[in-house]
Amino acid sequence: MFFKLLGLLACLFMSNINSSSNQDLFNLKTPETFQKIDFVKEASAELITNNYERDDVFVADIILDKAHGYDIDNTGVNSATQVIQEAIDEMSSRGGGTVYLPAGKYRITSRIEIKPYVNLRGDYRNPNNVKNGDYGTIIIAGVSSSNDEVGQNVNLFRMAGSTGLIGFTFFYPMQYMDNVVPYGYAIEIPGGITTDYHNVFTIKDVTFLNAYRGICASITPSGITKSVTHEQLHLENIRGTILREGMHLTNSSEVGAFNTIDLSSKYWANAGEEFNAPNKQNIIDFTSKNSVGLILGDLEWQEIENVNIEDYQTGIYFHNKTRTVDYGMAFIGSLYNLTISGAEYGIYVENLYPNLGIEFANSTIEGSKYAVINNSPETEGHLKLSGVTLNGAVGGVNVYYNNQLNGEIKGVQTPKLTYNLPKMELYNVLSYNADNTGEYDASSGIQQALNQAHNNGGGIVYLPAGFYRIEKPLIVYENTQLRGCTSAIQKDLQGNSQGTLLLAYYGALSRNENAPLITLDGDNSGVSSLRVVYPEINLFKEVLNLDTLPKYSYTIKGNGDGVYAFNLYLTGVYNGVDFSNSCNDYLIRRVMGVFYNNGFKLSGNNGVVDTCLSNGIAITKVGSPQLDDFKDWIFSTNDLANVLATFVYPLTRESTHFIIMENATNAKIHNLFTFASNSLIDATNSDFEGLNLGLDSQPNNSGNMFNLIDSKAYVFNTLRDALGTEGTYYTLTGDSSLTVYNRITLLPNNASKSESNLINNEKQNLAKMTGDTEYIKKIWEENINYEFIDYDDVNNPINPDNPDNPDNPDNKPDTTNSNAMYIGIGIGVAVIVIALIIIFVIKFRR
């Protein structure tokens, strides 16, 4: 106890010295030019095969251990901050890639900046499977205790755009349940404080053993109450015990996706003595009175799937708009397979966007006071619930419920979201003289590497960061993956093109180049983690229409089963991915961009399309000051709205069909969004399940969200904003059926106020649920209400301060006296230490 008190005293002392304001965030200015990148010309990457658990290929460009020349402490005793930051900076100067922290403990003492196009990756272990404290790569939080949410000496990581943080367990060694102290957010996404901090963030396979605050996005203020936006935050497999605020995520101007979030007391309670594991009931005593699982607001068309939140006072709090623009937003989105238990307030909605709202499906929501409460004005948006079990009262207005229409509601299952791994052998294209400056055709060198992998039964053909000019088609064979420099999706950052970028100069139909740019020619072949752009399709020289738009073959075509396209940005392509050649068990996941004609063409059985997006705004961010390929393109946002309205959206509204499927059976289409396309899904002789589907800014009086010909669709959670009339929501031809649970549409006649769903093509009325409401305080901003009880003896909890106190017959601890004791002992220790130092100094001088 004595040493713990010394540690707490030191922690509080350092907090007073190092406590940082937010002023450092405002000193960053929008870069006028970006740093010239000297791409690495030698083959230095390594394939990592010894990590614990994997669902994808893992290539590291920098490995932080002594065997690779890095003097880094992996025991958690000494700070590793400087070594990690210098490695990230080095990786950034080389154009991007992956910095790998092997299993061990790494103490972080001040915030680390993850630079654009850099992934920081560790060895992940699912905490549910951990024994003997082996969590893989562990981040030891050595930052100061602080009431500040963000700051240089407060957070552990801050992420720029096109970055990834993957495979880490976070532990705060000075956090104890008998004296809870505050900390800032472990991970911060600041939003668009500069143009390269705005787009695309991936946090995956992360465990928080005992964080006080977990992850925040765009809470950085640009004024007194407003914040700056970010785009496309992807959270996947985030688990842990977070004591006060699980996640505070707000102000996204482009669609993000969350899949698998589990917040529970069990993660710290089961961690063992090495990690100060308390009694589980102590954690529940704290979080059930003081904490919130998720704080969400101003997220546009958010897609959320598989969330569990246990024993928080408020499960999810949807707060009012914070956006800097006048109209604000408030939350718009869809949730599926949500479980909230042990809460006082399961779902609390402060306000909604006027004409849209939030959808919940296949969920269980518990609240001892309210399961669901909507405090929006009656003129605002709606909450729609289908297949939801509510344990608790419902309050507020515009809550519509649908639990048994035409029989029991059948949910959809989360599909397999992984691919069959290729042969684990690495082929670096730089070893085959592939040029990565963009000046010369790199096709031959890349194909040589692909052929060598094919001759050896498959492998990983790796393209380190650089610009690769492709003038001839590429063929990827069975059990082979063509792969870029990271494990997460990348996007151009307003003219800052780094990472792995393919400059496609092949595929123009006018030149009779009919082959796809990349053919996946064999089972279990795929492409991952790169970007493709066609510099010859320049929308900004003149206004194009369907006749004058340059037409190209597909960028990627699959021939075989188990083919996949994963973590790709196809920015300004005529046709995207063609898996229509009877490809079975295919996977298209996190493939985004701008598709002028068709995004995905599908056939075969058991295919999956998950977390994909099309939006023309991405085309305005392409380019690099190092490349002449884009000298005529638009890189300025000064007149962005006019550029999009004149050059881009009239074309895509007329021509873009996001998904075309024919003879596709048992397809799974999850978490899909498109802006300004003609249609979302065109299906012929097909059947599919859909989940969390959104279409925004549809063409006027034309186009469809669903166009079905002899096809069947079973769908949960659709959001649609249209410029047309309600009839453009779907078109059915022949033997077709469309079943939709949870449908919200924004139309000129304000159809979002409709109480109806679509069940087998017929409108069905929903039950309107209302009740008394109350305004709750933001519990996580209130004073902490918690008394520590020693549950070692459940039948006779002891008061460690005074077990024999006759004034306390229940033996509950007097936390006021306890804190006074801690402070008194701390001051006494400090006085003794100072006195000893003075005596030593006087003696030394004599």
Side-chain angles (χ1 to χ4, degrees):
M1 178 61 74
F2 174 77
F3 291 105
K4 186 164 82 170
L5 289 171
L6 277 178
L8 288 169
L9 183 65
C11 187
L12 292 171
F13 177 68
M14 292 303 295
S15 175
N16 290 331
I17 294 176
N18 295 327
S19 181
S20 171
S21 70
N22 295 328
Q23 293 303 313
D24 60 320
L25 298 176
F26 308 129
N27 295 328
L28 291 170
K29 298 183 182 299
T30 302
E32 296 180 0
T33 60
F34 291 96
Q35 176 186 3
K36 181 176 174 63
I37 302 300
D38 293 322
F39 292 117
V40 174
K41 301 301 188 293
E42 69 274 6
S44 59
E46 294 185 30
L47 178 63
I48 305 302
T49 59
N50 61 344
N51 62 320
Y52 298 95
E53 302 172 34
R54 65 166 70 240
D55 60 10
D56 67 349
V57 172
F58 183 2
V59 179
D61 299 278
I62 292 177
I63 300 176
L64 289 181
D65 60 16
K66 289 182 171 59
H68 291 82
Y70 291 92
D71 185 18
I72 187 169
D73 179 20
N74 66 354
T75 69
V77 175
N78 300 310
S79 175
T81 308
Q82 183 176 349
V83 179
I84 297 173
Q85 186 64 69
E86 288 176 353
I88 291 173
D89 294 346
E90 169 65 19
M91 197 77 267
S92 176
S93 72
R94 289 158 51 176
T98 298
V99 176
Y100 170 46
L101 280 172
K105 298 176 182 177
Y106 301 88
R107 181 174 294 274
I108 307 300
T109 53
S110 63
R111 185 178 64 204
I112 289 175
E113 302 275 342
I114 305 180
K115 302 293 182 64
Y117 301 98
V118 175
N119 283 185
L120 187 65
R121 181 149 187 174
D123 284 327
Y124 173 72
R125 295 212 66 188
N126 187 324
N128 293 317
N129 302 330
V130 167
K131 295 180 180 179
N132 302 321
D134 185 6
Y135 286 95
T137 303
I138 302 171
I139 299 299
I140 304 295
V143 293
S144 307
S145 169
S146 174
N147 285 310
D148 291 340
E149 295 179 323
V150 296
Q152 179 62 48
N153 297 297
V154 173
N155 313 118
L156 296 172
F157 294 101
R158 182 163 75 168
M159 300 177 67
S162 287
T163 56
L165 183 67
I166 304 171
F168 293 95
T169 296
F170 290 78
F171 171 59
Y172 287 73
M174 303 313 299
Q175 188 65 273
Y176 300 89
M177 284 312 303
D178 60 351
N179 193 358
V180 177
V181 294
Y183 286 92
Y185 282 96
I187 304 169
E188 180 201 4
I189 291 94
I193 52 176
T194 65
T195 54
D196 52 356
Y197 272 76
H198 187 58
N199 294 324
V200 187
F201 312 85
T202 299
I203 304 173
K204 178 184 175 186
D205 295 340
V206 165
T207 301
F208 298 101
L209 291 183
N210 65 341
Y212 190 82
R213 298 182 177 100
I215 302 170
C216 68
S218 287
I219 68 167
T220 309
S222 61
I224 298 175
T225 59
K226 303 297 182 181
S227 68
V228 290
T229 61
H230 69 280
E231 292 184 358
Q232 294 180 300
L233 171 60
H234 297 275
L235 303 179
E236 182 176 0
N237 192 30
I238 312 298
R239 304 174 186 272
T241 302
I242 305 176
L243 296 177
R244 188 73 156 152
E245 301 168 52
M247 302 179 194
H248 188 170
L249 310 170
T250 186
N251 210 346
S252 169
S253 57
E254 184 71 287
V255 176
F258 308 157
N259 193 327
T260 309
I261 296 173
D262 187 6
L263 303 180
S264 169
S265 58
K266 69 181 181 183
Y267 292 107
W268 192 16
N270 296 338
E273 185 177 357
E274 179 184 0
F275 298 99
N276 307 335
N279 188 290
K280 183 177 181 179
Q281 189 60 47
N282 286 125
I283 304 172
I284 295 173
D285 286 352
F286 185 92
T287 58
S288 62
K289 295 178 181 177
N290 303 289
S291 310
V292 59
L294 302 178
I295 309 168
L296 305 177
D298 290 76
L299 304 180
E300 289 193 34
W301 304 75
Q302 198 73 16
E303 303 156 349
I304 302 176
E305 188 175 359
N306 303 323
V307 175
N308 177 63
I309 300 172
E310 298 177 5
D311 299 314
Y312 284 81
Q313 192 269 354
T314 303
I316 304 179
Y317 187 100
F318 295 95
H319 68 68
N320 202 359
K321 55 193 178 185
T322 63
R323 188 165 299 183
T324 52
V325 295
D326 292 337
Y327 64 86
M329 281 301 294
F331 184 92
I332 302 170
S334 304
L335 295 92
Y336 188 85
N337 196 22
L338 165 70
T339 301
I340 296 176
S341 59
E344 287 189 48
Y345 298 86
I347 299 294
Y348 185 91
V349 178
E350 185 176 290
N351 200 9
L352 289 172
Y353 189 67
N355 294 305
L356 287 169
I358 311 174
E359 302 165 320
F360 302 87
N362 192 48
S363 298
T364 299
I365 303 171
E366 177 182 84
S368 59
K369 291 187 177 178
Y370 284 93
V372 175
I373 182 170
N374 178 19
N375 253 321
S376 295
E378 192 165 4
T379 56
E380 303 298 315
H382 282 191
L383 301 182
K384 290 193 175 181
L385 300 89
S386 289
V388 177
T389 299
L390 296 175
N391 297 321
V394 174
V397 297
N398 297 338
V399 181
Y400 294 92
Y401 189 73
N402 170 29
N403 213 31
Q404 277 194 324
L405 290 178
N406 293 359
E408 184 177 354
I409 294 175
K410 174 179 70 73
V412 300
Q413 297 297 316
T414 298
K416 178 184 175 183
L417 298 176
T418 56
Y419 53 85
N420 293 325
L421 297 181
K423 183 178 179 181
M424 301 303 288
E425 187 169 343
L426 185 66
Y427 300 85
N428 191 321
V429 300
L430 299 185
S431 298
Y432 297 82
N433 298 317
D435 176 69
N436 69 340
T437 68
E439 297 182 25
Y440 308 102
D441 181 24
S443 308
S444 296
I446 296 172
Q447 192 60 58
Q448 286 180 33
L450 289 166
N451 292 343
Q452 185 67 50
H454 178 49
N455 293 337
N456 294 333
I460 300 100
V461 176
Y462 182 60
L463 282 67
F467 305 135
Y468 296 86
R469 186 182 178 96
I470 308 298
E471 296 181 358
K472 294 185 286 294
L474 302 174
I475 300 176
V476 183
Y477 298 99
E478 67 273 7
N479 300 318
T480 300
Q481 180 183 115
L482 181 66
R483 179 182 182 82
C485 72
T486 64
S487 299
I489 193 166
Q490 313 164 19
K491 183 180 181 180
D492 290 88
L493 303 174
Q494 201 63 47
N496 180 20
S497 287
Q498 298 177 30
T500 302
L501 175 64
L502 303 191
L503 305 168
Y505 284 93
Y506 176 85
L509 300 182
S510 61
R511 297 193 294 258
N512 295 318
E513 297 169 341
N514 297 316
L517 186 74
I518 301 170
T519 298
L520 306 178
D521 196 24
D523 293 351
N524 303 321
S525 57
V527 60
S528 174
S529 304
L530 47 77
R531 306 191 316 285
V532 181
V533 66
Y534 289 73
E536 294 176 310
I537 308 180
N538 185 348
L539 268 62
F540 306 118
K541 283 186 177 180
E542 59 180 337
V543 176
L544 299 175
N545 56 40
L546 286 180
D547 294 327
T548 58
L549 175 69
K551 296 173 177 57
Y552 277 69
S553 56
Y554 279 87
T555 301
I556 300 166
K557 181 176 177 62
N559 294 326
D561 294 339
V563 292
Y564 56 91
F566 192 71
N567 283 343
L568 305 177
Y569 231 104
L570 309 181
T571 311
V573 307
Y574 186 76
N575 288 311
V577 179
D578 179 3
F579 284 175
S580 65
N581 189 22
S582 297
C583 299
N584 300 311
D585 302 309
Y586 58 80
L587 173 66
I588 299 173
R589 188 162 196 238
R590 293 201 186 99
V591 177
M592 305 183 178
V594 186
F595 307 95
Y596 298 129
N597 183 58
N598 173 219
F600 311 134
K601 189 176 182 181
L602 310 175
S603 184
N605 188 38
N606 295 327
V608 175
V609 179
D610 179 77
T611 312
C612 296
L613 174 149
S614 175
N615 190 343
I617 195 172
I619 202 67
T620 66
K621 302 177 182 181
V622 173
S624 168
Q626 293 179 241
L627 292 169
D628 291 334
D629 304 74
F630 304 104
K631 60 184 178 182
D632 298 326
W633 288 43
I634 300 295
F635 299 127
S636 171
T637 58
N638 294 336
D639 195 18
L640 179 59
N642 182 59
V643 168
L644 293 170
T646 302
F647 294 97
V648 182
Y649 291 147
L651 181 65
T652 59
R653 285 193 184 107
E654 184 178 6
S655 62
T656 300
H657 299 267
F658 197 10
I659 288 184
I660 298 174
M661 59 173 64
E662 186 171 354
N663 300 319
T665 57
N666 196 33
K668 304 290 192 300
I669 313 295
H670 285 211
N671 305 313
L672 199 73
F673 175 83
T674 183
F675 187 93
S677 289
N678 187 272
S679 67
L680 184 75
I681 299 177
D682 296 89
T684 302
N685 295 319
S686 299
D687 66 89
F688 67 91
E689 292 181 344
L691 173 66
N692 296 349
L693 306 179
L695 187 153
D696 194 0
S697 192
Q698 197 175 339
N700 190 24
N701 294 318
S702 67
N704 293 277
M705 189 163 188
F706 303 104
N707 180 23
L708 306 183
I709 302 174
D710 295 320
S711 297
K712 293 177 173 56
Y714 188 80
V715 181
F716 284 89
N717 294 346
T718 68
L719 291 166
R720 187 188 65 138
D721 173 11
L723 302 175
T725 62
E726 189 172 358
T728 62
Y729 180 77
Y730 68 90
T731 298
L732 306 182
T733 304
D735 183 18
S736 296
S737 67
L738 174 66
T739 300
V740 178
Y741 291 99
N742 285 352
R743 163 181 166 265
I744 294 180
T745 54
L746 169 60
L747 297 161
N749 62 354
N750 204 15
S752 72
K753 300 304 179 189
S754 168
E755 301 176 12
S756 67
N757 241 329
L758 286 172
I759 309 296
N760 294 325
N761 318 327
E762 298 178 359
K763 292 183 180 180
Q764 301 287 334
N765 290 328
L766 305 181
K768 187 174 183 180
M769 306 178 73
T770 60
D772 296 333
T773 65
E774 62 177 86
Y775 179 77
I776 67 168
K777 295 180 179 179
K778 297 178 179 178
I779 194 69
W780 59 96
E781 294 180 352
E782 300 296 307
N783 292 329
I784 289 176
N785 175 20
Y786 171 69
E787 292 183 350
F788 175 75
I789 298 175
D790 191 336
Y791 287 104
D792 288 342
D793 185 352
V794 177
N795 296 322
N796 185 27
I798 62 171
N799 179 353
D801 300 322
N802 188 357
D804 300 320
N805 184 356
D807 297 326
N808 186 11
D810 295 328
N811 288 326
K812 292 184 178 180
D814 184 343
T815 55
T816 304
N817 292 337
S818 176
N819 290 336
M821 180 194 71
Y822 292 156
I823 294 171
I825 293 176
I827 293 173
V829 171
V831 170
I832 293 171
V833 171
I834 293 171
L836 289 173
I837 292 173
I838 294 172
I839 293 171
F840 176 79
V841 170
I842 293 173
K843 184 175 181 180
F844 177 77
R845 287 182 175 178
R846 288 180 177 175

